[in-house]
């Protein structure tokens, strides 16, 4: 029997009513669903009060506990079918809705995911490339304390820096500055040598170095120790060379012959240097003392006035490059007083700057590849930005279709934060799918990318940093890409949206303004990239078309790196010409693609006493001019008829202008006090960079100063036939060496390799940028055509032609591209004109290049938009007017 509730405690002037055990009540709430626990607690509490009066407090409490335990049955413990959503449930629901939206709007999804995946692929490839560039040389353990010892001078207002150093400088650094240097290493220049073991002969690059070099370069030894070069007749081999020479046999103790004249014992094998290191081509190291003992000319030219060698140094832990450079600045000037007019300054160039800062302008500011690192970094950011803009544009363009969805969600209780979360989840889902696809694209593209960029990049699957940066990168991209749609769509007012009034979302003149601005940004970037790519290509072609002053066709060079080739000039030449495969042959101190020596100490009548003169010097033989086909503008070639030509000079046009000589033939020029008579003047020969002015150069006769053999092949025979005949002759004179030759036109082409790689990469990125922009444009055109379906139907009924409708749907996009072109042109002109200033020999920024870039972008835009415009214009008006 139910009784009406009675007041308890002070309210009735009576003692407080007894209560059931609290722990039992808590157990009930802990185990039962909330809505059931409250109902059960009410019934049990009422029954408890009745039992207190009937059987007493103690029995009532015991029975209360018994009832609680008896009520804990599975049917009562079952949770509600519609539980209160948790954060995890809500997030899962967000992504489920996002996936359904993507599946429902397939075209929209493909455009967004495709654009983002391409953008992320470009950004990832550029990121791997930049990381490889910025970590160049970090393989070496003492990377932060290694430097090249270099010298600089300002000659006639132009700054210059060089790595050629005098031998005594190394000893001075070791003895007089022992507290500043931990190691000082002398090194010959990395060049090709012949390594032979039994019947196996290979041409490999290597250096003669001081015994401390293995420690300085942190060699990872697989056989032997780093101390292997202490023996003057030893050699350390790279693992690849050891395998090529000895196979699986133990190389230690084996005797190898270098250049057919030096027998050395293998005392160690080291791992090949990685591709992104300075000494990656160094396949062997031999002792410096062996080099000196085998080359008498080194001992004869070991003074302070001869700059012919490389010096590497490792500074002490407590030292720094700037202070040490200040200490050693005047060492060469003090020891060679006659250089006071050029004031050479010795300095340390840190290893951390070798790769990216290896060039100096006239004022002495260091630069180089670092400009391309930041350039491609910007390109990566902009290409990814283009993909994000596509997402923003297409999301906001579809906002009117989703306006009612937002209104209904708000009406049933969703707040703005939940809507923002929903739209961000869609964005993150798109980015997640795009990131996964981009990983696949990068993996597939890496081999081709490595070929183009001359890299050996790999996917760092095992690196946690890669995944953390990739996921963080995707998260940021998702937030950026989804920020505008999330904030814009979630701001709609539910009442006005559901009523269909204009205040629910933007309509009218400025409804599409944000999208138009983003499209302009896209095509501004794209047109700028296109223009830049064209200018880089033009600059390369301009340099390639430059007259070089000699004939490279059919010209090959053979290095004189074995003793068998010296002293047989006339016999070798006669044998080669006698084969009929060779037109002529001559030797020179360096190939025509490289000016190996610059000298001071020249004097002539009329020279300005304040002039800091410096001329390039190249030693040649009598037949050099006929072999390479140089062109005379005055005087004659060297001739055996004139014995005085042993003291003759041939100058190039630049040298004549540089020296201020009028009618130079017959004039006397002194070099270090020795008189030389000018016998001829030739047209400038491009021997160094094709982008730089030709250097003032003097050619002199010297058969002993020979570095390469120049051979002109018979143009009437095939190259393979001629080379076979030439090789047979060399086998006769030099049987112990492989016939190793280089075509001069191929060597000259290598001078454009860096610029061509940059041009190719920039072209690819520009094409992908246009592709991404056109994807977005295609999506917007599709949406516009869909939005104006009924308008198009009405216009067709009223007599509008397909051309009229095409013009109607296309003109807005054309206008945006024209605006982008107007913005991109001055931007491109500013940056490209600055880039071209780095080259002395450069192309001009012609107006047609900018016009062609704009016309190309406009044509691509029309092709992209026209597909949707014409498709909409050709639609049956009956279907258009029936569409809902």
């Amino acid at each position: 029997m139910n009784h009406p509730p009675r007041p308890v405690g002070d309210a009735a002037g009576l003692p407080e009513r007894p209560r059931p055990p609290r722990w039992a009540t808590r157990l009930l709430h802990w185990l039962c669903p909330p809505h059931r626990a409250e109902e059960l607690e009410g019934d049990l509490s009422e029954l408890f009060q009745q039992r207190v009066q009937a059987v007493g407090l103690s029995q009532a409490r015991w029975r209360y506990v018994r009832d609680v335990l008896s009520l804990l049955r599975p049917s009562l413990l079952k949770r509600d079918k519609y539980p209160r959503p948790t954060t995890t449930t809500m997030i899962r629901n967000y992504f489920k809705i996002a996936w359904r939206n993507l599946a429902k709007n397939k075209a929209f999804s493909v455009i967004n995911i495709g654009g983002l995946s391409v953008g992320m692929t470009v950004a990832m490839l550029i990121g791997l490339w930049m990381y490889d560039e910025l970590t160049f040389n970090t393989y070496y353990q003492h990377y932060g304390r290694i430097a090249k010892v270099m010298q600089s001078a300002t000659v006639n207002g132009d700054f210059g820096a060089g790595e050629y150093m005098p031998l005594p400088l190394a000893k001075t650094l070791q003895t007089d500055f022992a507290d500043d240097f931990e190691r000082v290493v002398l090194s010959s220049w990395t060049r090709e040598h012949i390594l032979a073991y039994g019947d196996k002969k290979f041409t490999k690059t290597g250096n003669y170095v001081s015994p401390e070099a293995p420690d300085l370069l942190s060699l990872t030894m697989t056989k032997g120790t780093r101390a292997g070069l202490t023996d003057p007749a030893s050699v350390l081999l790279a693992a690849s060379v050891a395998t090529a020479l000895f196979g699986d046999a133990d190389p230690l103790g084996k005797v190898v012959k270098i250049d057919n004249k030096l027998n050395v014992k293998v005392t160690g094998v080291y791992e090949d240097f990685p591709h992104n290191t300075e000494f990656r081509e160094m396949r062997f190291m031999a002792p410096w003392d062996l080099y000196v003992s085998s080359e008498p000319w080194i001992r004869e030219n070991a003074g302070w006035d001869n700059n012919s060698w490389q010096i590497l140094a490792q500074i002490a832990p407590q030292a720094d490059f700037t202070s040490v450079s200040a200490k050693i600045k005047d060492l060469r000037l003090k020891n060679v007083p006659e250089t006071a007019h050029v004031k050479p300054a010795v300095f340390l160039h840190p290893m951390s700057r070798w790769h990216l800062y290896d060039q100096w302008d006239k004022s002495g500011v260091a630069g180089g590849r670092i400009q391309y690192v930041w350039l491609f970094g910007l390109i990566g950011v902009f290409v990814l930005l283009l993909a994000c803009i596509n997402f923003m544009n297409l999301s906001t363009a579809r906002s009117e279709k989703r306006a009612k969805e937002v209104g209904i969600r708000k009406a049933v209780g969703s707040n703005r934060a939940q809507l923002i979360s929903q739209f961000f989840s869609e964005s993150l889902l798109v980015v997640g799918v795009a990131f996964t696809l981009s990983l696949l694209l990068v993996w597939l593209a890496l081999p081709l990318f490595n070929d183009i960029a001359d890299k050996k990049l790999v996917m760092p699957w095992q690196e946690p940093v890669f995944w953390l940066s990739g996921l963080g990168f995707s998260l940021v991209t998702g937030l950026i890409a989804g920020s505008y749609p999330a904030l814009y769509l979630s701001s709609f007012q539910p009442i006005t949206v559901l009523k269909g009034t204009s205040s629910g979302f933007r309509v009218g003149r400025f409804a599409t303004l944000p999208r138009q601005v983003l499209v302009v940004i896209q095509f501004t970037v794209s047109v700028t990239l296109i223009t830049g790519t064209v200018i880089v290509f033009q600059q390369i072609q301009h340099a390639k078309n430059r007259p070089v002053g000699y004939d490279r066709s059919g010209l090959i060079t053979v290095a004189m790196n074995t003793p068998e080739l010296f002293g047989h000039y006339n016999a070798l030449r006669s044998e080669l010409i006698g084969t009929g495969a060779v037109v002529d042959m001559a030797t020179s101190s360096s190939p025509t693609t490289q000016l190996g020596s610059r000298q001071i100490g020249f004097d002539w009548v009329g020279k300005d006493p304040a002039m800091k003169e410096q001329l390039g010097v190249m030693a040649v033989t009598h037949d050099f001019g006929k072999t390479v086909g140089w062109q005379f503008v005055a005087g004659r070639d060297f001739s055996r008829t004139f014995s005085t030509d042993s003291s003759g000079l041939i100058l190039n046009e630049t040298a004549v202008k540089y020296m201020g000589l009028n009618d130079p033939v017959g004039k006397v020029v002194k070099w270090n006090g020795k008189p030389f008579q000018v016998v001829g003047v030739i047209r400038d020969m491009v021997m160094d960079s094709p982008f730089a002015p030709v250097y003032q150069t003097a050619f002199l006769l010297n058969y002993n100063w020979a570095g390469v053999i120049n051979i002109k092949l018979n143009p009437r025979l095939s190259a393979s036939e001629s080379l076979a005949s030439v090789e047979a002759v060399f086998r006769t004179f030099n049987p112990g060496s492989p016939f190793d030759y280089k075509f001069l036109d191929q060597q000259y082409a290598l001078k454009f390799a860096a610029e061509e790689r940059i041009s190719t990469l920039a072209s690819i990125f520009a094409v992908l940028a246009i592709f991404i922009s056109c994807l977005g444009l295609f999506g917007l055109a599709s949406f516009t055509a869909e939005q104006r379906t009924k308008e198009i139907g009405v216009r067709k009924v009223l007599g509008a032609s397909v051309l009229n409708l095409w013009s109607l749907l296309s003109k807005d996009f054309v206008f945006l591209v024209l605006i982008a072109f107007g913005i991109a042109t001055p931007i491109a002109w500013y940056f490209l004109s600055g880039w071209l200033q780095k080259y002395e020999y450069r192309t001009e920024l012609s107006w047609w290049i900018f016009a062609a870039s704009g016309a190309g972008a406009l044509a691509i835009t029309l092709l992209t938009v026209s597909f949707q415009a014409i498709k909409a214009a050709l639609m049956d008006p009956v279907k258009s007017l029936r569409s809902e």
Side-chain angles (χ1 to χ4, degrees), residues 828-869:
W829 182 88
Y830 175 78
F831 286 105
L832 290 170
S833 60
W835 177 73
L836 285 174
Q837 293 302 316
K838 300 179 182 296
Y839 299 99
E840 295 289 342
Y841 188 80
R842 56 182 178 267
T843 188
E844 297 295 328
L845 286 176
S846 303
W847 65 269
W848 67 265
I849 296 176
F850 297 93
S853 300
L858 186 60
I860 293 171
T861 301
L862 288 173
L863 286 173
T864 304
V865 174
S866 294
F867 177 80
Q868 289 296 338

Side-chain angles (χ1 to χ4, degrees), residues 371-372 374-375 378-379 382 524-525 527-529 531-533 535-536 823-839 842 845 850:
Q371 63 176 324
Y372 298 121
W374 300 128
L375 170 65
L378 285 174
I379 289 176
F382 280 123
T524 298
V525 174
V527 172
T528 303
L529 285 176
T531 307
T533 301
I535 292 295
V536 172
I823 297 173
T825 297
I827 294 175
W829 182 88
Y830 175 78
F831 286 105
L832 290 170
S833 60
W835 177 73
L836 285 174
Q837 293 302 316
K838 300 179 182 296
Y839 299 99
R842 56 182 178 267
L845 286 176
F850 297 93

Side-chain angles (χ1 to χ4, degrees), residues 317-518:
Q318 73 279 4
D320 66 88
F321 294 114
T322 303
S323 60
V324 176
S325 293
K327 291 180 182 180
I328 65 175
K329 176 181 177 182
D330 296 323
L331 283 181
R332 187 158 187 270
L333 181 60
K334 290 177 181 178
N335 289 276
V336 191
E338 56 269 27
T339 61
H341 66 297
V342 296
K343 296 182 180 178
V346 178
F347 68 98
L348 299 178
H349 188 45
M351 180 180 271
S352 59
R353 297 174 67 85
W354 290 1
H355 183 64
L356 298 178
Y357 298 88
D358 61 343
Q359 300 173 9
W360 283 265
D361 60 20
K362 291 183 177 181
S363 61
V365 177
R369 292 177 64 88
I370 188 64
Q371 63 176 324
Y372 298 121
V373 172
W374 300 128
L375 170 65
F376 282 126
L378 285 174
I379 289 176
V381 170
F382 280 123
V383 170
L384 186 59
L385 178 63
L386 298 183
C388 293
I389 286 174
N390 279 352
F391 186 91
M392 294 181 190
N393 268 346
L394 294 177
S395 296
T396 53
R398 295 178 64 252
S399 60
E400 292 180 31
K401 286 193 171 185
R402 302 194 66 179
K404 288 188 177 181
E405 174 193 340
V406 173
I408 292 173
R409 284 176 175 272
K410 283 194 170 184
V412 297
S414 293
N415 56 40
R416 189 178 184 188
Q418 291 173 325
L419 291 171
I420 290 175
S421 299
Q422 171 63 49
F423 289 118
F424 271 131
S425 68
E426 291 186 17
S427 174
L428 291 173
L429 178 61
V430 170
V431 173
V433 175
F435 177 67
T436 304
L437 183 57
S438 69
L439 289 176
L440 176 62
L441 292 176
V442 170
W443 180 70
L444 294 174
L446 263 182
L448 177 61
F449 185 81
N450 283 332
D451 287 342
I452 296 173
D454 188 28
K455 293 287 186 183
K456 291 187 177 179
L457 306 176
V458 294
M459 290 294 289
W461 301 113
Q462 307 298 324
E463 296 292 333
V465 175
F466 170 74
W467 291 107
L468 288 175
S469 59
L471 294 175
F473 174 76
S474 300
L475 178 62
V476 171
T477 302
L479 294 177
I480 293 174
S483 58
Y484 184 57
L487 298 175
Y488 174 55
L489 295 176
S490 64
S491 65
F492 292 167
Q493 297 300 317
I495 296 177
T496 52
V497 167
L498 295 175
K499 283 183 177 180
T501 56
S502 62
S503 58
F505 45 82
R506 299 181 192 175
V507 296
R509 292 182 58 190
F510 301 106
T512 60
L513 182 60
R515 296 197 292 275
Q516 291 173 342
V517 171
L518 293 176

Side-chain angles (χ1 to χ4, degrees), residues 723-743:
L723 289 172
S725 300
V726 172
E727 182 177 7
V729 173
F730 271 88
R731 292 292 185 194
T732 303
F733 282 85
N734 193 18
S737 302
F739 176 57
D740 190 25
Y741 62 90
K742 291 181 173 64
F743 277 96

Side-chain angles (χ1 to χ4, degrees), residues 85-96:
T86 63
T87 302
T88 304
T89 304
M90 292 177 66
I91 293 175
R92 186 167 58 248
N93 185 57
Y94 289 155
F95 280 101
K96 184 182 294 184

